[in-house]
Amino acid sequence: MSQPESRIEPGMTTDFRQRMSYGDYLGLDLLLSAQKPLSDAPDEPLFITIHQVQELWLKLCVHEIDGAIAAIRKDELSPAFKSLARVSRIQSQLVAAWDVLSTMTPADYLAFRPSLGESSGFQSWQYRALEFRLGAKDPRMLAVHKHHPAAHALLEKAYREPSLYDEAILLLARRGLPVPAACTARDWREPHGFDAGLRDVWLGVYRDTRGHFDLYELAEELVDIEDQFQQWRFRHMKTVERIIGFKTGTGGSSGVQFLKTALERRFFPELWDLRGQL
C-alpha cells in the first residue's frame, strides 16, 4: 500500500530540540494548562475558555488604547487611528463571544455555578482599566482590587490620568478651538460630564469636515468604540438573562438589573448629542 505524499517540504524545520517552536513562542504549555475546572460539569471548560479569551482581548484593548493616548498627546493621529480601529475590531470579537456562551443552557450553568464561589466578571481588573481609560471612573471600583497590589496600582494610575476622551479634548484646545476651560483644567479623577460648549466645538468640527478632517475622523473612531462597547454590554446582559434570569450575581450584584444600568452611560456624550444638532 503506497504511503500518502508527505506535505513536509525540504526547507521545513522539523527538529526543535535546539530551536524555538511555535508552542514555545506562544507559551502554549502554560496557556493551555490554565483551564482548570472545579467540577465535572461538561460546560465548565466552555465557561472558563470564553472568559479567559475575553481577558486576552481586553489586555490587547488596553494596550492599543494606551498607544492611542500616547499618539494623541504627540499630535500624531495616524497611529492613533490605527490603534482605535483595531480596538473596534477586537470589540467585535468580544461581542461574538457571547453567541458561543449562549449555547450553554440554564441547567448546564447550574451544574457548576456553586464552584464559582463569589468570583464574578465584575472583578475583572482589565475590564475596569478599559473603562477608566475611556473615562468611566469610579473610585469605589478600586476597592475590589486591593487584594491584588499590581492590578490596584495599574487602576490607580488610570484613575488619576486623563482618559482617552480627555486627551481628545485637550487636542481640540491645542488646535485653537474654543474648548470650555472646565473641560481642560479639571480633576482627571472625576468622570467627564456633558458640556454644551464642548458639544458645540465638536459640532463645528462636523460642520467643517474638510477643514478639520483628522479631528472628525478621531471623533468617529471614538463613536465606533462606544457603539461596540454598548453592543458588548447589551449582549452580556441578554446572555446573563438567558442563562440565569434575574437571579443575584455570583459576586453579590443584582445580576441583570446591575448590567442594565451600564446601558444608559455614555463615554463621549457630546459626540452623540451633536447628531441631533446637525
Side-chain angles (χ1 to χ4, degrees):
M1 182 176 179
S2 62
Q3 295 294 319
E5 183 178 349
S6 174
R7 297 189 66 245
I8 299 294
E9 297 176 349
M12 288 183 175
T13 302
T14 58
D15 186 349
F16 290 95
R17 286 172 293 184
Q18 302 297 324
R19 298 178 175 88
M20 180 174 66
S21 70
Y22 171 82
D24 296 332
Y25 177 70
L26 295 178
L28 288 184
D29 287 344
L30 177 63
L31 184 65
L32 298 179
S33 64
Q35 297 75 48
K36 302 182 186 300
L38 299 179
S39 74
D40 295 327
D43 277 40
E44 191 177 359
L46 164 68
F47 188 82
I48 292 172
T49 300
I50 287 290
H51 287 84
Q52 287 182 341
V53 169
Q54 290 208 4
E55 288 294 327
L56 288 172
W57 281 130
L58 288 171
K59 180 178 181 180
L60 187 55
C61 279
V62 171
H63 170 75
E64 295 295 341
I65 292 289
D66 282 346
I69 287 174
I72 293 170
R73 283 175 182 162
K74 295 186 290 186
D75 289 12
E76 297 176 356
L77 295 193
S78 291
F81 295 154
K82 179 179 180 180
S83 291
L84 296 177
R86 182 172 292 164
V87 170
S88 295
R89 301 303 186 277
I90 294 168
Q91 289 176 300
S92 68
Q93 298 296 314
L94 288 165
V95 173
W98 297 121
D99 292 335
V100 182
L101 190 61
S102 65
T103 63
M104 183 172 62
T105 69
D108 294 333
Y109 179 57
L110 290 173
F112 67 86
R113 192 185 193 215
S115 300
L116 301 180
E118 295 182 349
S119 64
S120 168
F122 170 76
Q123 300 146 15
S124 168
W125 60 266
Q126 292 193 122
Y127 175 83
R128 201 63 58 204
L130 182 58
E131 276 202 332
F132 280 11
R133 281 166 171 79
L134 294 177
K137 297 181 179 181
D138 183 344
R140 294 169 295 182
M141 297 298 185
L142 294 168
V144 180
H145 307 283
K146 284 185 176 179
H147 69 288
H148 191 317
H152 189 271
L154 183 148
L155 289 173
E156 181 76 24
K157 183 173 183 291
Y159 172 62
R160 294 183 179 278
E161 292 180 343
S163 69
L164 172 64
Y165 193 43
D166 291 326
E167 294 294 350
I169 295 168
L170 290 169
L171 174 64
L172 294 177
R174 290 197 300 272
R175 293 287 183 89
L177 298 175
V179 176
C183 296
T184 57
R186 67 183 192 85
D187 186 344
W188 303 121
R189 295 173 299 179
E190 297 295 325
H192 170 78
F194 174 79
D195 187 288
L198 179 60
R199 185 271 318 280
D200 291 343
V201 172
W202 281 118
L203 191 57
V205 169
Y206 274 71
R207 285 175 171 162
D208 183 14
T209 56
R210 182 170 296 180
H212 303 292
F213 191 80
D214 59 346
L215 297 177
Y216 171 65
E217 184 173 355
L218 175 60
E220 285 298 290
E221 293 284 2
L222 294 176
V223 170
D224 283 345
I225 286 174
E226 179 156 353
D227 190 358
Q228 289 281 4
F229 209 103
Q230 289 294 72
Q231 291 186 50
W232 185 88
R233 283 170 164 170
F234 179 77
R235 289 294 294 120
H236 183 191
M237 181 270 293
K238 295 305 292 184
T239 301
V240 171
E241 183 179 0
R242 174 173 177 160
I243 295 174
I244 69 167
F246 290 87
K247 290 186 177 70
T248 300
T250 49
S253 75
S254 57
V256 169
Q257 294 298 339
F258 173 76
L259 297 175
K260 282 183 176 180
T261 63
L263 296 175
E264 301 302 319
R265 301 192 191 118
R266 294 285 195 192
F267 295 123
F268 321 126
E270 293 82 8
L271 299 181
W272 292 95
D273 187 79
L274 70 83
R275 281 154 164 76
Q277 307 294 323
L278 287 172

